[in-house]
Each structure stands twice: as structure tokens, then as C-alpha cells.
């Protein structure tokens, strides 16, 4: 059991039988008054959001979530297929459920898939992925925009800002938590 | 972490506060930060420190100094409240408290007006979020509940919704045009404040708000030791039996309280006030090191 004082951004709790993740959290407390825990939450299956304010005496259950190591195989339309690396069972996750993670999925990539009630609901990517730059405009010297970065597109179609020395065909490392460029990878 | 410029501002801010009170004839005092027994307050969880607790407020010892004959005293000190962590809450924070003998809560409101105007004149390169010219807005708790929630404070307490409505429906509106005093609280929400003469269900307590941020809590002190003892007993009865706090009466305090005729005192959050002068909206931007910046 969790109590209200355990609530924080990113925590997963069970509400009416469904797993929710807290996306915004604010502690507040009027002078001499009760502690109030204001949460915005997202249903991890349907994506529905709602807000609720809890008091310190409220208790919560953790959803029974299970992480399995899986390998990304291929996509068929909006269905993204994964294989359990231990028992070779296959399953798919919808494009909607994957959300922004799609930008960093590579064939044969190993990652953690989150299951609730035997159904896959989310993936946890490796923190760093290496992707090949497929489109990069040459850096126009004397660009007066003031920013020493330029946009490039990587093999998954994701677009990001990188230093001007990165060229088409380079492999770059990206932090999947922020989506930002980390370094150029030499092979 | 504050940059050098803000560190200078923070130092100037505290210097100005001390100068203001000293120039008004207040004596700066210091009292024990570690205390064996804290005032029973249902909604404050103390931070243990060996056999003692870190203070959640210096109020007990400030009032004992009043009883010893000090007429005007102030203190800037650190206070600690366990588990309070958010945009406007840190477990460790700087409090300013000041007390006046032979005064009531309206005198403290005037002090607040004078203090803020002085601070603004001293901190010329800072812009306070609202104009400070007097008089500030004054609204009773009953008026605020009627205006923003169409419910009486008594009814809200009965439904256990008082704090929720205050935080979600009322506070965001307070102190938008100029600082605002919310005053005359239900008696059960002010265990150390004096009942309002002629209106025994109300306590002479107020809170000060600027831009929806609660800055200070002040009241006319309850100085009747018999009544204060029974208020403490009621507060202990409301507290969790398993809170781990000794359920003892602060006997020396109660003895001293009987020697005070009339007094008023106020506690003001300094980190929050400095945050407003910096025009920030998070405490973490106003303290030298925020909790996230500490080695774990």
C-alpha cells in the first residue's frame, strides 16, 4: 500500500482497477491546514487524463505491472510486433500506445515491455540509442541565426537539432528521455 | 543554486528586514532551534533531532520572552516541517516572526504594509508582482467562502472541505491586484489565537496573500492559560495516536502565558517573500541551494 505522501510525478497507482501514471504533481497546504496532494493522471491503457486532489489519510495500491525483455521485430500498419526474448512469444503494441517512443525504435532492438493484466501497455527504451542520419543540409557558414545547431533527420524519421559538423551518413547517439543529441558515434 | 547576483540580493533582503525592525524599536532575539516538546498542531509533522525536535516555529519561546517583559521582538530563523515538499514548500525554510505586547492583529497588518513598502524601496532593482500602496485588500474568511464557493466556512468544515476549497477555489484569487489579508478564521482553526470579542466562534487570525501565495499567518494571541490548555487538549485529541510525539503540556509556557495581558504575533515565510521579489514562481529559485541540489 502507498500513502498520499508517497505520491510524486511518475508514480504508477491503481484506480478503479486500472493503472494510472501521475503526470503532474503539486503539494499544497494552506497555513495550519491539511496537506493536499494535487495530481494529474493518465490512464496507462486508454490514455484518458484526469485530475484529483488527495488528502494525507488516503491509501493507494500499486498496479501489478510486469516488465519483460522483448525484441522489436517489425510493424504492420499501426501494430508494432515484439518477441519475448525468453519464451519467443510474440505480441503487438499499437502506435498510439507507443507514442513518441516510435521515433527511436530500431529493428531487433531489445527493450522492456510493460504488461498489466497480461496485456502489453508501454515500453521502456534503452536510455541511449544510435541512429544513422539520413538527411542533413550542409551547414551554411555565416548563418546569423545565432544558434550553433542545425536540424537533421535520422533513419526513423525523427528530426532533431545537432551541431553543424554532423553530416549525412553519420551515426549519432540520442538520449531517448529527452530526445536530444548526445554525441557522434565513431565506428 | 543562486548565482552571485541573487546571493547579493538575498543578503540585501535580510539586511533590510533587520534594519526595518531595528529602526522600529524591535529587539532581535534567538531561541532554541531544538526543542524537547512542540506545540500540538494536528497538521504539522516535526523533524526529530536526537531526543528533541527541530522547531516548526519559534512561537512558544517568542511568547515566553513577551512574558518576560519584552515589548517588541523579532527573529529570523530556520524552521522544519517534515514531508512538506512542493513548489511553495520545503522541509527546511527561513521564517520571520515578530511579536508586539499590547497589540492586536490589526497592528500586525499595518506592520506588514510598512515592511513591504520599506523592502521595495531598499531592493530597487527588484519588482514586486503587485503594487504595494496602502491600504491593502481585506476580506473575511466568511466573505471569501461566500464569494468564491457559495458556502459558509462552518459548512465547509463540517464537510471536511475547508482546506480543499481554500486551496483550489479561493487562494488563486487572493492578492492579485494588491496584497490581501484574509481574516477572522473559524475558532477551531486557530488554536493559539484569541476569540474575537462579541463573536466567540471566530478567532482574530489572518493570513497574508500576494499573487495567490500565502506569505504570513498572524493573530491576536490567546493569553488565557486555562483556555489555552483546553485548546491544546482538543488539538491532541485530533492528532494520530501513533504520531510518536509526546502528548505533554508545555507547562512552563502555560505558566508564562498568564503573565501576558495582550499581545499579537506573526510568522512570515522569508523564502516565499524573497521569491516574489525575484519574480519567480518556485521556492527552489529563491533559496541558496534547492533540495534537488543537495548530495544524496
Amino acid at each position: 500500500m502507498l500513502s498520499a505522501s508517497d505520491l510524486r510525478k511518475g508514480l504508477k497507482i491503481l484506480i478503479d482497477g486500472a493503472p494510472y501514471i501521475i503526470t503532474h504533481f503539486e503539494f499544497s497546504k494552506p497555513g495550519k491546514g491539511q496537506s493536499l496532494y494535487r495530481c494529474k493522471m493518465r490512464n496507462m491503457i486508454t490514455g484518458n487524463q484526469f485530475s484529483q486532489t488527495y488528502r494525507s489519510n488516503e491509501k493507494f495500491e500499486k498496479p501489478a505491472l510486469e516488465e519483460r525483455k522483448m525484441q522489436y521485430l517489425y510493424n504492420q500498419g499501426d501494430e508494432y510486433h515484439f518477441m519475448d526474448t525468453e519464451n519467443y512469444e510474440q505480441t503487438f503494441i499499437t502506435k498510439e500506445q507507443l507514442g513518441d517512443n516510435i521515433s527511436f525504435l530500431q529493428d531487433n532492438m531489445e527493450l522492456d515491455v510493460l504488461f498489466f493484466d497480461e496485456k502489453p501497455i508501454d515500453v521502456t527504451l534503452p536510455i541511449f540509442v544510435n541512429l544513422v542520419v539520413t538527411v542533413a543540409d550542409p551547414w551554411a557558414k555565416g548563418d546569423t541565426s545565432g544558434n550553433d545547431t542545425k536540424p537533421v533527420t535520422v533513419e526513423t524519421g525523427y528530426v532533431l537539432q545537432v551541431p553543424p559538423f554532423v553530416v549525412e551518413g553519420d551515426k549519432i547517439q540520442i538520449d531517448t528521455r529527452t530526445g536530444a543529441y548526445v554525441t557522434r558515434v565513431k565506428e | 543554486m543562486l548565482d552571485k547576483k541573487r546571493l547579493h540580493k538575498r543578503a540585501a533582503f535580510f539586511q533590510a528586514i533587520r534594519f526595518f525592525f531595528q529602526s522600529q524599536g524591535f529587539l532581535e532575539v534567538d531561541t532554541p532551534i531544538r526543542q524537547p516538546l512542540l506545540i500540538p498542531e494536528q497538521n504539522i509533522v516535526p523533524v526529530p533531532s536526537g531526543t528533541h525536535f527541530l522547531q516548526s516555529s519559534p512561537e512558544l519561546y517568542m511568547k515566553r520572552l513577551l512574558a518576560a517583559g519584552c515589548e517588541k521582538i523579532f527573529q529570523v530563523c530556520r524552521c522544519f516541517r517534515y514531508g512538506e515538499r512542493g513548489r511553495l514548500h520545503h522541509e527546511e525554510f527561513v521564517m520571520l516572526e515578530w511579536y508586539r505586547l499590547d497589540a492586536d492583529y490589526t497592528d500586525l497588518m499595518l506592520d506588514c504594509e510598512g515592511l513591504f513598502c520599506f523592502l521595495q524601496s531598499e531592493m530597487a532593482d527588484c519588482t514586486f508582482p503587485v503594487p504595494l500602496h496602502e491600504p491593502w485588500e481585506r476580506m473575511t474568511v466568511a466573505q471569501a467562502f461566500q464569494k468564491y464557493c457559495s458556502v459558509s466556512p462552518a459548512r465547509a468544515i463540517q464537510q471536511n472541505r475547508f482546506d480543499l476549497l481554500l486551496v483550489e477555489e479561493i487562494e488563486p484569487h487572493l492578492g492579485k491586484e494588491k496584497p490581501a489579508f484574509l481574516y477572522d478564521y473559524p475558532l477551531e482553526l486557530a488554536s493559539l489565537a484569541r476569540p474575537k470579542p462579541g463573536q466567540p466562534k471566530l478567532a482574530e487570525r489572518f493570513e497574508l496573500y500576494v499573487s495567490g501565495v500565502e506569505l504570513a499567518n498572524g493573530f491576536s494571541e490567546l493569553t488565557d492559560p486555562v483556555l489555552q490548555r483546553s485548546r491544546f487538549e482538543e488539538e491532541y485529541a485530533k492528532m494520530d495516536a501513533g504520531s510518536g510525539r509526546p502528548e505533554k503540556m508545555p507547562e512552563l509556557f502555560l505558566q508564562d502565558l498568564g503573565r501576558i495581558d495582550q499581545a499579537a504575533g506573526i510568522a512570515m515565510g522569508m523564502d516565499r517573500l524573497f521569491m516574489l521579489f525575484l519574480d519567480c514562481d518556485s521556492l527552489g529559485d529563491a533559496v541558496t541551494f534547492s533540495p534537488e541540489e543537495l548530495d544524496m
Side-chain angles (χ1 to χ4, degrees):
Chain A
M1 280 295 241
L2 299 167
S3 66
S5 59
D6 296 317
L7 297 176
R8 59 188 149 63
K9 189 175 170 183
L11 186 76
K12 293 154 187 163
I13 56 175
L14 194 70
I15 300 170
D16 296 332
Y20 280 79
I21 182 162
I22 298 173
T23 53
H24 295 273
F25 174 77
E26 190 164 0
F27 173 85
S28 54
K29 188 176 197 281
K32 310 256 167 194
Q34 300 168 317
S35 294
L36 298 169
Y37 304 84
R38 311 164 79 180
C39 300
K40 253 190 215 164
M41 289 163 291
R42 179 165 50 81
N43 184 313
M44 296 176 71
I45 297 169
T46 65
N48 288 343
Q49 307 214 23
F50 84 110
S51 300
Q52 179 76 38
T53 299
Y54 296 105
R55 295 193 178 87
S56 34
N57 55 0
E58 293 183 78
K59 302 273 182 239
F60 305 88
E61 272 185 73
K62 281 186 190 171
L65 297 167
E66 187 198 350
E67 274 196 342
R68 294 185 200 163
K69 287 251 176 276
M70 301 195 92
Q71 188 175 31
Y72 170 61
L73 300 176
Y74 60 91
N75 75 304
Q76 205 167 30
D78 284 352
E79 294 176 0
Y80 287 72
H81 292 257
F82 295 83
M83 180 180 71
D84 192 311
T85 53
E86 277 180 23
N87 59 21
Y88 309 111
E89 275 179 25
Q90 291 193 20
T91 187
F92 71 87
I93 303 177
T94 66
K95 189 177 179 178
E96 197 186 351
Q97 283 175 319
L98 285 169
D100 295 339
N101 291 321
I102 276 181
S103 304
F104 310 111
L105 273 187
Q106 281 172 298
D107 290 353
N108 304 321
M109 174 189 263
E110 285 197 11
L111 40 70
D112 292 317
V113 177
L114 198 62
F115 282 77
F116 175 73
D117 203 13
E118 291 302 308
K119 287 195 255 326
I121 59 169
D122 197 9
V123 298
T124 308
L125 295 171
I127 294 173
F128 300 110
V129 295
N130 296 336
L131 294 169
V132 175
V133 175
T134 53
V135 182
D137 293 330
W139 174 245
K141 260 213 155 64
D143 181 344
T144 52
S145 64
N147 295 324
D148 281 350
T149 61
K150 64 175 183 182
V152 296
T153 308
V154 293
E155 55 187 300
T156 58
Y158 177 66
V159 178
L160 74 162
Q161 292 290 325
V162 301
F165 54 76
V166 173
V167 295
E168 212 165 283
D170 277 351
K171 192 171 259 192
I172 58 171
Q173 189 171 77
I174 299 172
D175 186 329
T176 59
R177 297 167 300 184
T178 58
Y181 169 87
V182 180
T183 184
R184 190 163 50 167
V185 184
K186 292 198 180 93
E187 295 199 325
Chain B
M1 192 170 24
L2 292 189
D3 58 25
K4 200 172 154 195
K5 202 172 152 199
R6 287 188 168 183
L7 279 174
H8 277 279
K9 281 185 183 172
R10 197 169 154 99
F13 172 76
F14 284 112
Q15 210 167 1
I17 283 166
R18 290 199 159 89
F19 185 84
F20 174 80
F21 282 102
Q22 283 159 359
S23 66
Q24 304 268 320
F26 280 75
L27 178 69
E28 180 166 13
V29 299
D30 65 296
T31 54
I33 286 185
R34 292 172 77 247
Q35 302 172 4
L37 185 66
L38 301 186
I39 294 168
E41 284 190 273
Q42 191 192 359
N43 295 314
I44 291 177
V45 182
V47 178
S49 168
T51 54
H52 290 45
F53 296 102
L54 298 180
Q55 67 181 355
S56 57
S57 149
E59 118 176 70
L60 209 95
Y61 294 94
M62 294 296 273
K63 285 184 218 174
R64 288 182 66 183
L65 293 177
L66 291 179
C70 296
E71 289 164 5
K72 294 193 271 183
I73 49 175
F74 80 101
Q75 170 162 204
V76 178
C77 60
R78 294 203 172 246
C79 293
F80 303 84
R81 297 179 181 181
Y82 182 78
E84 302 194 2
R85 183 70 196 87
R87 185 173 66 86
L88 296 174
H89 292 82
H90 285 166
E91 289 185 318
E92 171 179 351
F93 59 99
V94 180
M95 189 91 102
L96 161 69
E97 295 209 356
W98 73 93
Y99 290 77
R100 285 175 171 273
L101 269 188
D102 303 320
D104 68 17
Y105 68 155
T106 60
D107 297 307
L108 299 173
M109 294 183 197
L110 299 177
D111 285 339
C112 291
E113 291 173 342
L115 172 65
F116 281 33
C117 289
F118 177 74
L119 286 176
Q120 189 171 46
S121 69
E122 288 296 295
M123 313 232 339
D125 55 342
C126 292
T127 318
F128 204 67
V130 297
L132 290 171
H133 54 84
E134 303 140 35
W136 293 353
E137 197 185 330
R138 284 165 170 75
M139 185 185 261
T140 67
V141 172
Q143 285 166 348
F145 271 77
Q146 200 54 51
K147 180 171 178 186
Y148 297 112
C149 318
S150 305
V151 67
S152 72
R155 185 103 184 99
I157 290 172
Q158 200 182 18
Q159 297 170 333
N160 192 21
R161 291 205 302 152
F162 184 92
D163 292 328
L164 191 73
L165 290 174
L166 186 60
V167 164
E168 300 206 325
E169 308 295 335
I170 299 174
E171 285 188 348
H173 301 288
L174 300 178
K176 285 290 185 205
E177 308 298 325
K178 49 168 77 177
F181 295 111
L182 188 65
Y183 69 101
D184 285 357
Y185 277 68
L187 192 68
E188 58 263 54
L189 300 180
S191 72
L192 293 128
R194 176 177 84 181
K196 197 175 170 75
Q199 289 179 276
K201 287 189 172 173
L202 294 179
E204 289 188 343
R205 171 189 163 197
F206 71 91
E207 295 263 357
L208 169 61
Y209 287 89
V210 171
S211 299
V213 176
E214 179 210 327
L215 283 176
N217 174 40
F219 41 84
S220 309
E221 301 293 345
L222 176 61
T223 53
D224 177 342
V226 177
L227 205 51
Q228 183 65 75
R229 183 184 295 272
S230 72
R231 295 270 201 88
F232 281 159
E233 280 165 358
E234 287 164 21
E235 200 68 16
Y236 271 131
K238 285 189 272 182
M239 284 164 62
D240 273 352
S243 68
R245 291 168 64 172
E247 290 201 12
K248 287 190 199 154
M249 281 296 157
E251 295 295 345
L252 296 173
F253 165 74
L254 289 170
Q255 264 177 39
D256 283 350
L257 199 58
R259 290 162 41 203
I260 304 172
D261 176 25
Q262 186 182 314
I266 176 168
M268 185 177 281
M270 289 293 94
D271 299 325
R272 286 188 185 178
L273 181 58
F274 182 59
M275 175 192 88
L276 292 176
F277 271 105
L278 288 183
D279 200 19
C280 299
D281 61 1
S282 169
L283 271 192
D285 298 328
V287 295
T288 311
F289 287 93
S290 73
E292 291 82 12
E293 292 168 328
L294 307 184
D295 267 319
M296 297 297 269

